[in-house]
Amino acid sequence: MREMVAFGKKLKERQIQEWQGYYINYKLMKKRVKQYAQHIEQGTQDRQYVLKDFSQMLDNQIEKTVLFLLEQQGHLASRIVQLGDQQGDAQQEAEISKISEQREAYRTVGEDLLKLLYFIEINAVGLRKILKKFDKRFGYRFTDYYVKTRANHPYSQLQQVYKHVGIGAVVGALSRNLHELQDRQGSYLPIYDHPTLPLQDPVIDSIRAAMDRLTHSTNFLDFLGQHALIMQEELQLPAPSDQKVDDEKYHFMSLLLNLANTFLYMVNTYIIVPTADDYSMQLGAAPTVCGIVIGAMAVAQVFSSVYFSAWSNKSYFRPLVFSSIILFLGNAMYALAYDLNSIWILLIGRLCCGFGSARAVNRRYISDCVPLNIRMQASAGFVSASALGMACGPALAGLLQTNFKIYKITFNQDTLPGWVMMFAWLIYSIWLWISFVEPSREFEEDHTTSQSNADSSALEKGLRQPLMISSEDKKDEDADQDYDDSEEASEESHLPANSIGSAYRLLTPSVKVQLLIYFMLKYVMEILLSESSVITTYYFNWTTSTVAIFLAGLGLTVLPVNIIVGNYISNIFDDRQILLASEIMVLVGILSAFHVIIPYSELQYICSGLLMFVSAEVLEGINLSLLSRVMSSRLSRGTYNGGLLSTEAGTIARVIADATITLTGYMGVSRLLNMTLLPSLFICIGSIIATCYTYNSLY
């Protein structure tokens, strides 16, 4: 509590009293949201009136802030112009004292600019928080609507908040003039003639750090368009030193190694898919046992995700080393099972590979150790590495069509995936040992334990001071305090969940529905991929190379589909419309894949499989984007975070799907296709019903 109060006081001390009337009135808007909820419950106001009235209120608040911002930018620009005139005289006279005075004058302007940047940041955070609060009360359609309709409209002031072009011009003018005044061996070097010379000035460094934070804080389009599985922590008002902390933790080669681990693991997962049925038959099992062989890795990943997530609280290097060693051993056992003629060695090898899944560490490293200004790029790199690995795995298996022996060890299409991946993890382990840098954790005791538990709650209380306090509002503060305290305790607490049970209790109905959707799409995709070799061999007599080409082609659609959806479709349609349409298209793909009366053709299988896979990919991107917005901020960090819950939902879906393939195989390969599609059909219909019911009830 003392830390919470201290933070609130510190934030209050930073406010500029004479600017008090120009902050967005957060308290007024928060009370208005409460009134809307009461009026809707009483039936005195309808939803359309609420949306229109609140939109107009937001427009007025943003316009007030932006016009004041432009006015202050004009004052700063005028001061820089006046200093520029004085600077010419000082340089002609070459008096050191006057040059020093000029530099101090520019630094004073820079300090005032920092105050203005902080003013923008407070308003940007307040705007985001009130949008989130409105969404929690009435659903999240309003945020989508408001941002998309205001982001690029010529009459909207919202774009001034997150583009802040004028601020960039002021920063550029300050940097140039300070650089001109910087003494370098008796000469004044123009910045345009020597672009590589860095400007060593603490004011400019602070301004740049504030600009980076502000870009992250106000980039609403990125905030609404996240398609990565990495949960972002709830936006805070960081101290100027926070960016330096990020820079201290960040190491490019370590990030590259982290992404390489992601890529290799996905290759390891899918490289056996084209040959798993043949390998099972070589060891005396039924071809449908390939479901268990493929799914064994997912079974182990259910448990490894938890202990790797917990381990990443203390280290990143050691779990990555452990992961590469376990995967090296697992692939060796997988390859040796052929000569040992043991299906159990094969399964144990795949279990070991699953126990080496460090994807939880991969996500945590990006969310914890990558600076905010490149975190979205790193998250995109994580998704791209996963997609590329998914495509490269089957493609690589298609190239390993050979058969020879060295001593008594067999190298063929069944064992070579294990030998190749064993060698790959050996090389990776050496590279990891040489190049990975464990990020420093010295600051985390102070930063995480003292601030994470208190800052977020104090933030809104602190924001109430510069954003809301006025003589009229002060009268109502005591009456509203009990409501604020109870609401903030339930909604704004940032204490991470300490168990699966506590994490589950934080899930709202809409989050549960989206986890169900994630479960459904992973189940459908796993059924399609894992049984592809058995189905195509039975119906079409496809070779391993043909199956590999088909699977690689599916994997290569991941990035183009996400680019199209992210850049075009999501800007035209509401996310929930895309979500529901994608679910329906998955359903159509499932229905078209059934073998009913007419002879089953390659065209039917390829088209239905492509429709299912692409629709599931579109669904995954949109679903994760929505999930990252509605999931509690308490699930943004800690062992039991949102990324872990999402991964567990997807992994359990894969396990059940692979088990379904093996169990259904006992009925005969001729029934495998239809019998495995039936559960997919029912789960898909269930997710569509849940989606319609949940979102209709919200609105």
Side-chain angles (χ1 to χ4, degrees), residues 188-324:
Y188 303 101
L189 302 175
I191 190 172
Y192 303 109
D193 295 338
H194 303 273
T196 58
L197 292 175
L199 175 59
Q200 303 294 336
D201 195 290
V203 172
I204 297 299
D205 291 340
S206 298
I207 290 174
R208 287 171 179 166
M211 288 287 287
D212 288 340
R213 295 199 317 271
L214 186 57
T215 299
H216 175 75
S217 301
T218 59
N219 197 336
F220 286 97
L221 298 183
D222 280 348
F223 168 69
L224 294 177
Q226 294 178 9
H227 293 282
L229 195 58
I230 299 170
M231 293 295 299
Q232 299 292 340
E233 198 169 324
E234 173 72 12
L235 182 63
Q236 304 280 332
L237 283 178
S241 60
D242 285 356
Q243 184 65 37
K244 296 180 180 179
V245 170
D246 278 340
D247 291 338
E248 290 174 2
K249 292 192 291 180
Y250 176 62
H251 182 251
F252 175 75
M253 186 57 69
S254 299
L255 174 61
L256 193 61
L257 282 160
N258 191 65
L259 296 178
N261 184 280
T262 300
F263 169 76
L264 287 176
Y265 185 78
M266 292 303 290
V267 173
N268 209 148
T269 300
Y270 289 98
I271 194 173
I272 73 159
V273 172
T275 58
D277 60 331
D278 183 69
Y279 204 170
S280 300
M281 292 174 62
Q282 293 294 333
L283 298 180
T288 52
V289 174
C290 69
I292 292 294
V293 174
I294 297 171
M297 202 167 175
V299 171
Q301 190 178 344
V302 171
F303 303 98
S304 66
S305 296
V306 177
Y307 69 73
F308 270 113
S309 182
W311 201 350
S312 63
N313 292 326
K314 299 180 180 179
S315 174
Y316 300 101
F317 175 68
R318 288 192 290 273
L320 287 177
V321 171
F322 176 79
S323 166
S324 57

Side-chain angles (χ1 to χ4, degrees), residues 204-470:
I204 297 299
D205 291 340
S206 298
I207 290 174
R208 287 171 179 166
M211 288 287 287
D212 288 340
R213 295 199 317 271
L214 186 57
T215 299
H216 175 75
S217 301
T218 59
N219 197 336
F220 286 97
L221 298 183
D222 280 348
F223 168 69
L224 294 177
Q226 294 178 9
H227 293 282
L229 195 58
I230 299 170
M231 293 295 299
Q232 299 292 340
E233 198 169 324
E234 173 72 12
L235 182 63
Q236 304 280 332
L237 283 178
S241 60
D242 285 356
Q243 184 65 37
K244 296 180 180 179
V245 170
D246 278 340
D247 291 338
E248 290 174 2
K249 292 192 291 180
Y250 176 62
H251 182 251
F252 175 75
M253 186 57 69
S254 299
L255 174 61
L256 193 61
L257 282 160
N258 191 65
L259 296 178
N261 184 280
T262 300
F263 169 76
L264 287 176
Y265 185 78
M266 292 303 290
V267 173
N268 209 148
T269 300
Y270 289 98
I271 194 173
I272 73 159
V273 172
T275 58
D277 60 331
D278 183 69
Y279 204 170
S280 300
M281 292 174 62
Q282 293 294 333
L283 298 180
T288 52
V289 174
C290 69
I292 292 294
V293 174
I294 297 171
M297 202 167 175
V299 171
Q301 190 178 344
V302 171
F303 303 98
S304 66
S305 296
V306 177
Y307 69 73
F308 270 113
S309 182
W311 201 350
S312 63
N313 292 326
K314 299 180 180 179
S315 174
Y316 300 101
F317 175 68
R318 288 192 290 273
L320 287 177
V321 171
F322 176 79
S323 166
S324 57
I325 293 173
I326 292 296
L327 282 158
F328 174 87
L329 296 174
N331 282 288
M333 295 177 69
Y334 181 86
L336 289 171
Y338 187 92
D339 293 306
L340 296 174
N341 194 29
S342 173
I343 190 70
W344 294 107
I345 297 294
L346 183 75
L347 293 175
I348 293 172
R350 286 294 287 179
L351 283 171
C352 285
C353 290
F355 283 123
S357 171
R359 289 175 66 81
V361 180
N362 302 148
R363 293 189 193 88
R364 286 290 299 276
Y365 184 87
I366 293 174
S367 63
D368 294 347
C369 303
V370 176
L372 293 176
N373 59 333
I374 63 169
R375 193 170 297 168
M376 280 298 293
Q377 294 92 317
S379 299
F382 176 85
V383 175
S384 300
S386 299
L388 188 60
M390 182 180 180
C392 286
L396 185 58
L399 298 175
L400 302 177
Q401 300 301 303
T402 186
N403 192 345
F404 61 93
K405 279 193 174 186
I406 299 179
Y407 297 106
K408 295 183 179 181
I409 300 178
T410 303
F411 297 86
N412 58 23
Q413 66 173 11
D414 298 329
T415 63
L416 275 172
W419 294 121
V420 168
M421 293 312 303
M422 184 191 77
F423 181 74
W425 286 112
L426 176 63
I427 298 299
Y428 175 80
S429 300
I430 297 172
W431 182 23
L432 180 72
W433 192 269
I434 295 173
S435 302
F436 191 88
V437 176
E438 181 77 83
S440 173
R441 294 176 177 267
E442 295 177 358
F443 66 92
E444 290 188 359
E445 293 183 3
D446 297 329
H447 183 72
T448 302
T449 58
S450 65
Q451 290 187 354
S452 294
N453 297 342
D455 283 4
S456 55
S457 298
L459 175 59
E460 188 159 337
K461 293 184 178 180
L463 281 173
R464 234 185 262 127
Q465 305 300 324
L467 296 184
M468 299 176 285
I469 292 296
S470 63

